[in-house]
Amino acid sequence: MVSVKTAEEVKKIAEASQIVAIILQELSTSVKSGMSTEEINTMAENMLKKYGARPAFKGYRGYPASICVSINDEIVHGIPSPKRIIKDGDIVSLDFGVLMNGFFGDAAITVPIGRISETAEYLLKTTKESLNLAIKEAKVGNRLYDISSAVQEYAERNGFSVVRDFVGHGIGRALHEDPQIPNYGQKGKGIKLEKGMVFAVEPMINEGDYRIKIDADGWTARTLDGSLSAHFEHTIVVDYDHGIVLSKVN
Ligand code: MF3
Ligand code: CO
């Protein structure tokens, strides 16, 4: 069942999401070549303390850290480690979620480190734009897979592929609520969107093909062909003209 949130509920999700956005923005300027992914996790946890909020991912199905840090061919769910060092030319996906006052917020960005390749640059730009186009579709009267197909059409038109194994999701009192929101699908299909539905939309786009593999750690998802992957995510609320981004810095 896909729930419609009250204005009060949307406000609380917005508050959690804003903290996520602030922390991601701060991390995006702090992450430097030579730093370990564990240091990023520590920074995120320290920033969170002053808000009295909880990290949403820590302990979720046994996930051991507060943030997911996924580098280059890693798609999502990279586990921070003191041994994993970021280097110049990397693209680093940061996926972070927060629980505050009973509500969740969830967002992700992919950050370029130093000078990155033209392909990497184009992949980041395309993935970010696919999310923006998807958010435009999150409006009353549209259907769920209008969001999905916006991502797919744009990514594929630009020569990239859409990860099938992970999806966006409803969000609110739980991190993952109905509906599942694939990043591929048929325009005009799926449930009708209503004002007040709150979604985490999160395209994961690969440079090569969409197949993935999971590391021995049971979490880290990476491209099967070793190509680059990018991830952007926003928590949004459906409104009349377009989705409204909640995970932004006001
Ligand atoms: N944004 C991702 C999701 O919604 C992050 C989950 S990480 C996990 O699935 F550790 F919590 F699984
Ligand atoms: Co999510």
Side-chain angles (χ1 to χ4, degrees), residues 57 60 63 68 77 95 106 169 175-176 202 219 233:
F57 301 165
Y60 181 85
Y63 185 74
C68 302
H77 301 162
D95 187 352
D106 186 9
H169 47 95
L175 175 62
H176 295 137
E202 49 181 319
W219 280 102
E233 175 177 21

Side-chain angles (χ1 to χ4, degrees), residues 6-232:
T6 65
E8 291 72 38
E9 290 170 328
V10 172
K11 194 168 169 235
K12 286 186 179 144
I13 299 167
E15 281 163 3
S17 300
Q18 211 199 323
I19 294 167
V20 174
I22 291 168
I23 291 176
L24 283 178
Q25 190 186 59
E26 230 166 283
L27 289 175
S28 74
T29 61
S30 311
V31 175
K32 294 278 181 315
S33 153
M35 211 174 251
S36 76
T37 56
E38 175 64 28
E39 283 174 75
I40 298 173
N41 187 67
T42 305
M43 281 194 286
E45 287 182 351
N46 286 339
M47 291 178 207
L48 203 47
K49 278 179 192 146
K50 70 166 176 272
Y51 295 104
R54 289 219 330 246
F57 301 165
K58 198 161 192 166
Y60 181 85
R61 295 183 177 214
Y63 185 74
S66 293
I67 191 167
C68 302
V69 184
S70 311
I71 304 175
N72 296 337
D73 63 315
E74 296 166 1
I75 299 163
V76 72
H77 301 162
I79 300 173
S81 156
K83 286 188 270 188
R84 191 69 198 279
I85 307 299
I86 288 161
K87 56 184 202 314
D88 202 61
D90 283 347
I91 59 170
V92 179
S93 300
L94 306 171
D95 187 352
F96 191 52
V98 151
L99 169 62
M100 196 174 68
N101 298 325
F103 289 86
F104 286 89
D106 186 9
I109 54 174
T110 303
V111 181
I113 307 299
R115 267 181 68 89
I116 63 170
S117 70
E118 250 171 65
T119 311
E121 196 85 61
Y122 194 60
L123 178 67
L124 298 197
K125 192 170 161 251
T126 302
T127 307
K128 198 172 187 174
E129 180 61 12
S130 76
L131 174 57
N132 288 335
L133 293 170
I135 292 168
K136 287 203 177 114
E137 297 296 326
K139 62 179 179 185
V140 175
N142 267 10
R143 288 179 181 269
L144 184 65
Y145 300 140
D146 291 336
I147 296 175
S148 310
S149 69
V151 172
Q152 182 177 23
E153 273 179 27
Y154 190 75
E156 291 181 354
R157 177 145 47 89
N158 284 282
F160 299 128
S161 73
V162 169
V163 172
R164 272 36 174 185
D165 298 71
F166 302 101
V167 296
H169 47 95
I171 183 168
R173 285 187 189 277
L175 175 62
H176 295 137
E177 298 183 353
D178 285 343
Q180 294 197 6
I181 310 173
N183 294 298
Y184 60 95
Q186 220 183 320
K187 214 179 166 63
K189 304 274 188 192
I191 58 157
K192 269 195 176 164
L193 302 183
E194 294 174 43
K195 182 177 158 71
M197 289 178 170
V198 179
F199 300 149
V201 181
E202 49 181 319
M204 287 158 239
I205 306 296
N206 295 351
E207 176 195 358
D209 82 59
Y210 60 75
R211 289 172 302 166
I212 74 153
K213 59 185 174 193
I214 306 285
D215 283 2
D217 64 18
W219 280 102
T220 312
R222 64 178 74 238
T223 59
L224 187 63
D225 61 11
S227 68
L228 296 174
S229 187
H231 182 202
F232 285 88

